[in-house]
Amino acid sequence: MTIVSSRRQTRPRSALALISLACLTLGAQAQDQAPETLQRVEVTGSHIKRLDSEGTTPVQVLRREDIARLGASTVQQLLSSLAGSTAALADNNNYYGNTEAPGASAVSLRYFGKQSTLVLLNFRRVAAFPLADFNEIFVNIDALPMDAIERVEILKTGGSALYGSDAVAGVINIITRKDFQGLSLKGNWGQTSSKGRFGDGTLSVGAGVGDLARDGFNVLSNLEYYKRELVQGWRHLLDEVNPQYRQVATGLGALSARSYPGNVNGQAVPGCETIVNKRCMSDPIEGGLIMPSSTRLNWLSTGTLRLNKDVDAFAELSLSRNQTEYLGDALTYSSSWGTWTWGDPSTDLPKSFTYRGLPAGHPLNPSNKEASFQYLFADSQPFHHVDAKQYRALGGLRGTWSGYDFELAAGALGGHAQRSQRQVFSDKGFVEVIGDYNAATLDASFFNKPGGYRIGQLNSPEVLAKLFPTFGYEGQTRQLFVDGRLSGELTQLPAGPLSFAAGFDVRRDSFTMTPTANLRTGELLGSGVSSADAARNFGAAFAELNVPLLKNLNLELAGRADKFQHFDAHFSPKVALRYQPTQQLLLRGTVETGFRAPNLAESADSNKYSWATGISDPRRCPAAQELADALEAQGQTQRADSVRAAECNTGIPKVTRNNPALKPETSLSATFGLVFEPFRGSRVALDWWRIQRKGEIGIKGLGDLLNEEGGLEPGLLLRGSLAQDPTFNAQEQAQYGVKVGHLKRVITQFGNQSRTQTSGLDVLARSEVALPQLGRFTLDLDGMVLLSQRYWNLERKGWGDNLVGRYGYSRLSLGLGAALQSGDWNNALRLSYRGGQSLQGDFYDSLWSVEGCADLKLSADQCQVKAYQRLDYHLAWSGFKNLELGLHVGNVLNRRPPVDFKQFGAYWGVVPQNLEDVMGRTFRISASYRFF
């Protein structure tokens, strides 16, 4: 919390009351500062400029020096340190998260997801990442320059009444440096104490010329380069893994028979390097991806030109390029895997791939029948590369007119991303270079075609390109905007000035995501496909009033009307009160609504195709069971199995389409809090909050759709003709009451169908005292107590369990920092804490209940994630003119994160996905030099 102004504040910023009182007992005294004139400035949460450091809504502020003490080298690392920040998306681990938007990071507040936290740059929106994560379109915070940040303001409540769509859980406003003069160079590099290194670093150059007040202009430019090393191969890190995981995963690190050059009938193929019990073995974790490499180049330039004493012209340009490389695992093959089924989006027909062995007559098969075969395609050369470019350019005028402050701006923002990978078989290519796997008797040339793929031999790039073709997506976003606002005092009331702000916002959005041709035709084994091509216009008008009811009581009213093309206008109101009975105590409260408009992947032209398996048709499965039982009684076991599989365990194409009839997600939020300043230099803020969101956009499960078939719109569920029924003949249809044809395809649409309810308590505190002969001592506390977290369950038609203390929902999260500025030295400690959790999710999660854990051979102690604690240390020295050196030690005590058997996968045994488990203590060195 802070007083944000263009000049030095007249008093320190916030408080940790109890600790500060203890400091007083020890004789510490806060230093008085000479009073200076403050300018009214805009603070996130209100368009009305003010002097007060605390408004009606809670706003957390991270200053430049606060950010430095965190030791973060990226915006993602910075924002993930917030107590209210909850898991969203990080580009350094989302390869294993099965995201459809790799190469990007996102932020989420209060568990509401990356689409319900609005991210601003200098009070304006940032371009969306050009690839959607299924239906989620979000801001990629990796495209924001770290070193250009002056401060970050976090609005801890909804902001739709001021900022419009997406500001449901809060607003994060990243504010860059202004009026900087000189030339500076800054760099940092960090790595861990483990064998993996996990190195990353940043090099940035900042330059600024002109003093706005003296010269009438200022131009500032910041260029930042970020590099993260690739980390691969769990084998060399296996001894760094917490040994507790071995208690439940005895196969951790075991060798695999899916090897190179393979096994035929359980015997090693000649040329194998590692043979165990006559079988050729490979190390499946030798070269696997642990952390992807990344290179980023972010450039931000701002300029201001004073046209006259009342008006300034301003411009801003930002460009970014992020390249992320995810190295996939080499493809494996086993003839015991049976048949894999998927669909062809171009025909809606099923496709299947059957893993076959080596035929009789193959050089590696000495038997006279098809032999089992296990193999590692060591030459498959898998890769997954994402190249994303984003931009934002704007310009405008700001100043005063007839005593009112105004600002007008126009601009363009957008981005382009290319996602390309090679990871799976081409069905067509497999037949061409290996052979026809559907033949009842394999041809002797299977896996031995002239000019085709040869086992354990050097294969040409042309053959490999046919067998493992490149595929992916191209995404693009664009937005044009014009906005403006006016603010000032309307009149003077007995208790003070009646202040207002009003403005407008007009935009044009477009989003396209285009798959490669081999995805559109279902050529790739097991693949689905997504596409989008949509655009829309929208406009908004907003207004805000600050009404002084009494000298120490203010009423704040705000409202915003947003009109999106094809949707009714949506109005978001806000009512807030600020009451300050004494200089030391402030009471505040808000009630407001929020909303998230359906994005272009949900409401406009988009299509997602996949193949759903294990489907039981409720209108035909009971009849199929009866028929199968009768067939078994007649000895027709094979047909009986076929009938059951066709109607009770089948696969069908599943198409998820946009829904033009969607309505916005809406929310109702309330806060009530107090800010207490026991003495000068100390402040503590406690704010209770509650948010309920309804009409959440999602899709129904196939089971629900099939059960509701009679009430669905025509065309959403396609059935075949009874006259051409593949399961029941005409006599059987009559005998067993079959009146509808077999399932051929189901179309799902996004709908407003769920709700979320959450509440909690935020604690923000700061204390600054001067310690004689030591320097300035600062204590900071950022904490969140989660009181309730519930999700609506469609099947139950009611709320699920309160998930506080369940998996993923800690009751208490906090960061406690202490810093001592003494001459040229700055020392800081920070404790991060997150409360423990059980492994169980909501009421339906029986697998990870206490009983479920027992079935998995986990004890009650293992069926929980214990509390997380981490201590970091930061040291900075500025003993030479214009030079500052820094050292940040993360996880000083070298403590492991708590064991998480659910994330680890106790019942199948894989390497841990929490990389902190093998990182250990981290070190980051930094240096900055200002040339002039």
Side-chain angles (χ1 to χ4, degrees), residues 168-318:
V168 173
V171 179
I172 295 176
N173 187 10
I174 296 173
I175 300 169
T176 59
R177 304 173 74 178
K178 301 289 191 300
D179 214 21
F180 172 79
Q181 298 176 70
L183 175 64
S184 66
L185 178 66
K186 183 176 182 179
N188 68 73
W189 181 260
Q191 64 182 58
T192 71
S193 59
S194 77
K195 300 173 185 175
R197 282 175 49 94
F198 295 94
D200 76 322
T202 304
L203 182 65
S204 62
V205 178
V209 295
D211 181 280
L212 187 61
R214 183 188 65 236
D215 304 322
F217 75 94
N218 175 259
V219 177
L220 169 64
S221 186
N222 183 276
L223 181 64
E224 180 178 275
Y225 174 76
Y226 171 80
K227 172 70 177 177
R228 183 178 63 226
E229 292 182 333
L230 171 73
V231 184
Q232 66 180 128
W234 273 103
R235 176 59 59 187
H236 76 288
L237 284 178
L238 207 58
D239 57 353
E240 307 268 358
V241 175
N242 194 322
Q244 293 187 52
Y245 286 121
R246 297 183 185 274
Q247 299 174 15
V248 296
T250 56
L252 180 63
L255 300 179
S256 171
R258 296 187 297 276
S259 56
Y260 180 88
N263 291 285
V264 179
N265 282 337
Q267 302 289 314
V269 170
C272 178
E273 295 183 358
T274 304
I275 299 178
V276 179
N277 294 329
K278 299 182 179 181
R279 291 194 304 168
C280 183
M281 306 298 286
S282 69
D283 190 345
I285 63 173
E286 177 65 32
L289 177 71
I290 301 176
M291 180 177 285
S293 66
S294 177
T295 58
R296 304 172 193 161
L297 191 63
N298 293 328
W299 178 51
L300 173 70
S301 287
T302 61
T304 306
L305 175 64
R306 180 139 294 168
L307 301 180
N308 56 51
K309 65 182 182 65
D310 295 324
V311 180
D312 293 340
F314 64 91
E316 181 181 316
L317 175 63
S318 62

Side-chain angles (χ1 to χ4, degrees), residues 425-435 463 466-467 469 523:
F425 289 128
S426 161
D427 173 47
K428 181 177 66 175
F430 191 96
V431 172
E432 183 176 348
V433 302
I434 291 179
V463 167
K466 291 178 180 179
L467 187 57
E523 175 189 329

